[in-house]
Amino acid sequence: AQSVTQLGSHVSVSEGALVLLRCNYSSSVPPYLFWYVQYPNQGLQLLLKYTSAATLVKGINGFEAEFKKSETSFHLTKPSAHMSDAAEYFCAVSALNSGYALNFGKGTSLLVTP
Amino acid sequence: EADIYQTPRYLVIGTGKKITLECSQTMGHDKMYWYQQDPGMELHLIHYSYGVNSTEKGDLSSESTVSRIRTEHFPLTLESARPSHTSQYLCASSREGAGNEQYFGPGTRLTVT
């Protein structure tokens, strides 16, 4: 089965600092991977996705992620954090056995301090 | 503008009541999903649909039921609500095929007293 593990339930960075949110995947086949962001009392919004076209994926709001097969990782990064980036971030992998529903990680709460 | 809608956004009801959470999308997507999300926790799939007249149970056991009579509409029903049903319910849809992203509604936050 396809699954993801997010390391660190809470991450705190200063405004302007590098953001790094970690995600490792487990999959017996080449995975489809996603990062979503959730603001309070809202649904999930897609940041970016990996579908094997390119290992470095650029998304919205300055975020990007690199697929590393050797490390089974898909970490999310942003060079300079903004206060508006404070939110919950979810890594997800497409599940082959349930209509390509998503198997989510437990989420990482990003706090940005002034 | 294509979008996905959920109503109500917030609902507080008493134990034993029957409720239906509405979900509609205007994107013409065949696939639709319901996820349950407890506060500060991951999302768990409870139902999904490949298209009209198709419904499947997800990984998380749920006492809810769904129907898919129209492509754009995927309501979720609880016949008899209990406090253990208190949670956030998120609806999503996607195009057919692997690797397609899911679009999420704003969610319904349900509290059963």
Side-chain angles (χ1 to χ4, degrees):
Chain A
Q2 292 74 34
S3 65
V4 293
T5 301
Q6 290 184 243
L7 303 176
S9 59
H10 293 82
V11 170
S12 181
V13 300
S14 299
E15 190 174 19
L18 171 72
V19 175
L20 171 61
L21 304 182
R22 300 177 187 274
C23 174
N24 288 90
Y25 70 89
S26 174
S27 178
S28 57
V29 298
Y32 297 107
L33 295 162
F34 305 82
W35 274 101
Y36 282 85
V37 61
Q38 185 179 33
Y39 298 101
N41 299 316
Q42 294 186 26
L44 276 68
Q45 180 183 9
L46 180 71
L47 282 175
L48 48 82
K49 67 176 183 179
Y50 169 76
T51 56
S52 76
T55 57
L56 182 62
V57 181
K58 294 188 182 298
I60 63 171
N61 301 340
F63 285 94
E64 62 181 37
E66 186 173 8
F67 175 77
K68 292 187 177 180
K69 184 177 179 181
S70 60
E71 299 177 7
T72 62
S73 68
F74 190 56
H75 301 333
L76 182 71
T77 61
K78 181 174 180 178
S80 177
H82 295 163
M83 297 296 291
S84 60
D85 293 328
E88 191 82 17
Y89 291 80
F90 291 94
C91 181
V93 62
S94 189
L96 302 180
N97 61 345
S98 56
Y100 297 111
L102 298 176
N103 288 335
F104 285 88
K106 292 184 183 294
T108 297
S109 180
L110 177 65
L111 175 66
V112 182
T113 58
Chain B
E1 179 179 299
D3 214 334
I4 183 164
Y5 307 93
Q6 289 186 245
T7 57
R9 291 293 315 280
Y10 302 92
L11 180 61
V12 180
I13 61 167
T15 298
K17 299 292 186 182
K18 177 180 178 179
I19 59 169
T20 296
L21 308 184
E22 302 289 348
C23 176
S24 295
Q25 49 97 4
T26 60
M27 295 171 280
H29 289 165
D30 284 324
K31 292 187 177 177
M32 296 190 74
Y33 311 84
W34 276 102
Y35 294 88
Q36 184 173 339
Q37 182 184 30
D38 291 325
M41 297 184 70
E42 66 205 281
L43 286 76
H44 291 284
L45 179 70
I46 51 175
H47 297 282
Y48 61 102
S49 168
Y50 290 105
V52 172
N53 295 324
S54 157
T55 60
E56 304 286 345
K57 287 189 178 293
D59 303 325
L60 182 67
S61 175
S62 173
E63 295 166 341
S64 59
T65 59
V66 292
S67 63
R68 190 89 184 275
I69 299 174
R70 303 197 315 267
T71 296
E72 63 272 20
H73 196 212
F74 191 40
L76 181 146
T77 298
L78 282 167
E79 291 293 333
S80 180
R82 296 208 301 266
S84 61
H85 296 139
T86 294
S87 189
Q88 169 143 276
Y89 295 84
L90 290 165
C91 181
S93 71
S94 72
R95 294 194 313 272
E96 182 63 45
N100 289 315
E101 63 267 32
Q102 294 182 16
Y103 295 82
F104 283 80
T108 294
R109 186 167 296 280
L110 173 65
T111 301
V112 184
T113 60

